[in-house]
Amino acid sequence: MTRQEERRAQTRAALLDAGAALFATRGIAGASVDAIAEAAGRTSGALYDHFGSKEGLLFALLESWVDAATAAVAAEQAAATSLDEWVAAMWRAVSDPPDGDGRWIALEHELWSYANQSDEARRYLARRYAAAWDAIDAVTGPWVEHPAEATRVGPAVIALLFGLEMMRRVDPDVVTDQLAVAALRGVLAGTAVPTT
Amino acid sequence: MTRQEERRAQTRAALLDAGAALFATRGIAGASVDAIAEAAGRTSGALYDHFGSKEGLLFALLESWVDAATAAVAAEQAAATSLDEWVAAMWRAVSDPPDGDGRWIALEHELWSYANQSDEARRYLARRYAAAWDAIDAVTGPWVEHPAEATRVGPAVIALLFGLEMMRRVDPDVVTDQLAVAALRGVLAGTAVPTT
DNA sequence: GTCGTTACATAACGAGCCCTATGTTGACCG
DNA sequence: CGGTCAACATAGGGCTCGTTATGTAACGAC
């Protein structure tokens, strides 16, 4: 990789990271192009050369996250040796993400709200979630048996994880780890049957 | 009530309704004061005379919703005669709200995102959710026994309802009524014990 | 070494935004 | 029925934003 290509790649990564941070903290509409560029140590000219528009940066951000999200789920699979352990690990990954602060949940909601106004964004999100649902289904395969297609485990588990994190943001004390784990186990029991 | 007071009340209600609709469809940042006033059949001058600022309208909106949300939960209590019926009714109330379109869920998420940037908005939301949690706890009282304080039913049920609605927005086909009811029953079973 | 090209930086424009200051019309009160 | 005030409407300022057009310095192939 030549020095020009290397610098370009660094700039792109910095812009994506700054975009994620500012979209999460100030909202997609509230984060200005100039502020994002400045946070990345560049100017708006660089952003437009890389992504063409503010929405272009947003879509690039969605693409770059596909791997990160499903990879996080797969990583927990290797570590956990029982369903209870896996449930606890999944909740830890959501409530206390390795990302540092909990900015990714805020960003996820920003994307969700934006998807309500843009069909293209909705399709991006749909692809991301479909992959995550499949990953959950695959990971829980060894422990539970999936009955009919109508009661998939993946969507239910991810729905509860997101909802619990929402409640925790509103009132951190009410969603204890104990509550989260109990609810997650309940959902699993409700949507699948344990394999002996 | 004099004719002046009556007109003022109508204007206030129209502005609140228009604000809710536009905040939900275009986002809080994306809905302009002029657009809200026009949708209400008034001008921005009326909005500033009533609420002082755009954020003032938002907070007034939050206040006016406290009763509506918890009232909806309470209304389902009277109709349902079994836990299963109640669960199905709750899901219907979320997935196919009497409001007509599903704009209120979008608005709820807009408020949530906004609360991430404003502590005052977060406190408003916290009060609203606390009331809703209590309502769920009270309504489920006849059917389940609440064990320790650490595993409250209310926050878990509302978390799942919101999460399921999010998933359904991304991909309407994946969250079937059957899946939603099964997951809700699972959460109830996981966080409480049935009486008798 | 030259020169086209790449990877940005700079400057500026036009649109849209929230808000304020002021005007206007009708309702209430004596 | 005249005066006062409430309930808006109108006009515009000041600012921010997304985007574009243009400049520039470093790079890389020959």
Side-chain angles (χ1 to χ4, degrees):
Chain A
M1 194 155 63
T2 71
R3 303 205 349 227
Q4 277 199 112
E5 287 170 339
E6 195 169 2
R7 174 166 174 85
R8 185 166 182 83
Q10 284 175 1
T11 297
R12 180 186 163 90
L15 286 171
L16 284 172
D17 194 56
L22 286 184
F23 283 158
T25 54
R26 300 188 200 174
I28 293 174
S32 74
V33 169
D34 285 320
I36 295 172
E38 188 184 350
R42 298 289 186 276
T43 66
S44 65
L47 194 150
Y48 278 91
D49 186 53
H50 275 263
F51 303 105
S53 71
K54 186 180 177 179
E55 201 175 33
L57 170 66
L58 185 67
F59 288 157
L61 205 58
L62 276 164
E63 285 289 358
S64 75
W65 270 25
V66 176
D67 299 333
T70 56
V73 173
E76 299 291 348
Q77 179 184 27
T81 60
S82 75
L83 188 57
D84 279 8
E85 267 186 35
W86 177 79
V87 164
M90 284 301 293
W91 172 241
R92 274 199 309 274
V94 168
S95 66
D96 189 24
D99 191 43
D101 45 27
R103 84 175 191 211
W104 75 272
I105 278 271
L107 178 52
E108 202 73 41
H109 267 86
E110 282 296 323
L111 297 175
W112 192 93
S113 286
Y114 194 81
N116 255 24
Q117 306 160 37
S118 158
D119 253 12
E120 192 175 356
R122 215 209 75 238
R123 280 192 293 271
Y124 272 93
L125 269 191
R127 283 220 317 276
R128 289 195 341 102
Y129 278 103
W133 295 333
D134 291 344
I136 298 279
D137 283 345
V139 167
T140 56
W143 295 305
V144 298
E145 193 163 338
H146 302 158
E149 172 75 12
T151 61
R152 286 184 61 192
V153 172
V157 166
I158 292 194
L160 182 58
L161 283 171
F162 272 60
L164 285 173
E165 176 61 15
M166 277 186 73
M167 300 300 109
R168 212 175 66 97
R169 278 307 173 92
V170 170
D171 184 348
D173 295 328
V174 85
V175 182
T176 62
D177 290 353
Q178 187 183 348
L179 168 61
V181 170
L184 281 166
R185 288 181 39 169
V187 159
L188 277 168
T191 54
V193 291
T195 58
T196 61
Chain B
M1 193 157 62
T2 72
R3 308 218 328 240
Q4 277 200 114
E5 286 170 338
E6 195 169 2
R7 174 166 174 86
R8 183 166 183 83
Q10 283 174 1
T11 297
R12 180 186 162 91
L15 286 171
L16 284 173
D17 194 56
L22 286 184
F23 284 158
T25 54
R26 301 189 201 174
I28 293 174
S32 76
V33 169
D34 285 319
I36 294 171
E38 189 184 350
R42 297 290 186 276
T43 65
S44 63
L47 194 150
Y48 278 91
D49 186 51
H50 275 264
F51 303 106
S53 70
K54 185 180 178 179
E55 201 175 33
L57 170 65
L58 185 67
F59 288 156
L61 205 58
L62 277 165
E63 283 290 359
S64 74
W65 271 23
V66 176
D67 299 333
T70 55
V73 174
E76 299 292 348
Q77 179 183 26
T81 61
S82 75
L83 188 57
D84 279 7
E85 267 185 35
W86 178 80
V87 164
M90 284 301 292
W91 172 241
R92 273 200 309 274
V94 168
S95 66
D96 189 24
D99 192 43
D101 48 331
R103 85 178 190 208
W104 75 273
I105 278 272
L107 178 52
E108 202 73 42
H109 272 87
E110 280 297 323
L111 297 175
W112 192 93
S113 286
Y114 194 81
N116 255 22
Q117 306 159 38
S118 157
D119 252 12
E120 192 175 357
R122 217 210 72 240
R123 279 192 293 272
Y124 272 93
L125 269 191
R127 283 220 318 276
R128 289 195 344 102
Y129 279 103
W133 295 334
D134 290 344
I136 298 279
D137 283 345
V139 168
T140 56
W143 295 305
V144 298
E145 193 163 338
H146 301 159
E149 172 75 12
T151 60
R152 287 184 59 192
V153 171
V157 166
I158 292 194
L160 182 57
L161 282 171
F162 272 62
L164 285 173
E165 176 59 18
M166 278 186 72
M167 302 298 111
R168 212 176 67 97
R169 280 305 175 92
V170 170
D171 184 348
D173 295 327
V174 83
V175 182
T176 63
D177 290 353
Q178 188 183 347
L179 169 60
V181 170
L184 281 166
R185 288 182 39 169
V187 159
L188 277 168
T191 54
V193 292
T195 56
T196 71

